[in-house]
Amino acid sequence: KQWYQRRVRGSKGIQIRYNLSQVEQWVREQNLDLEDTDVLSSLNEIRQASQLLQMNKNTVEHASAIAETCFSLNTLQLQKLLVLYSPSSEFEERVPQSVIKYILNYRPIASGAKLMLDPNKIHTVNFAYQPFEVDFTLITPPSGLRLNFLEKF
């Protein structure tokens, strides 16, 4: 299977959304979402992409909901996700061309639209590094790892 057949599906949307909620919670706990940085709003594209993977995508009515819900994603990004979307089960179908065409007509691709996220929205986070001494001679690897060939000095 191609890489996208395992990643662009509803179950991955659920996993991404859960992981993103953990990041959002951590950002709040660390008080990193300050007004001048607006870290949480910079995650909108990822949040909406994960929502898109979980949404119904079978009819024009669904396409309308997608276009309205995923307002932070540009049309090129929506099109790419919908084309690469892989059904999770035999009961689910690929996204019909009518849905993709509706979105392209509803929101035409703007000139200069980029497929990747905006690099200007990347935020750096600095962590204090606190080295500590580790005496590796005191560490015994678990027997289940079958590292009998290692010798202690």
Side-chain angles (χ1 to χ4, degrees), residues 8 44-45 47-53 55 57 62-85 95-96 99-109 113-117:
V8 186
N44 279 341
E45 288 95 346
R47 185 181 308 107
Q48 290 179 14
S50 69
Q51 286 175 321
L52 170 63
L53 295 177
M55 295 175 77
K57 297 170 270 308
H62 296 151
S64 176
I66 289 168
E68 291 173 17
T69 302
C70 301
F71 56 88
S72 291
L73 297 172
N74 67 42
T75 307
L76 191 59
Q77 293 166 332
L78 286 173
Q79 180 186 21
K80 188 70 169 183
L81 285 169
L82 292 172
V83 167
L84 292 179
Y85 183 80
V95 179
V99 170
I100 297 170
K101 285 180 184 177
Y102 178 88
I103 289 176
L104 290 172
N105 289 332
Y106 185 85
R107 289 180 18 191
I109 297 175
K114 295 191 177 12
L115 189 58
M116 304 302 284
L117 296 175

Side-chain angles (χ1 to χ4, degrees), residues 140-150:
T140 305
S143 59
L145 293 177
R146 297 185 186 131
L147 298 174
N148 302 339
F149 59 90
L150 294 179

Side-chain angles (χ1 to χ4, degrees), residues 92-142:
E92 193 177 4
E93 297 177 9
R94 295 194 66 78
V95 179
Q97 285 297 315
S98 59
V99 170
I100 297 170
K101 285 180 184 177
Y102 178 88
I103 289 176
L104 290 172
N105 289 332
Y106 185 85
R107 289 180 18 191
I109 297 175
S111 63
K114 295 191 177 12
L115 189 58
M116 304 302 284
L117 296 175
D118 185 356
N120 295 326
K121 293 184 178 182
I122 295 174
H123 299 280
T124 58
V125 178
N126 295 320
F127 298 99
Y129 175 68
Q130 299 172 344
F132 60 94
E133 293 289 323
V134 176
D135 186 359
F136 288 104
T137 60
L138 300 175
I139 297 175
T140 305

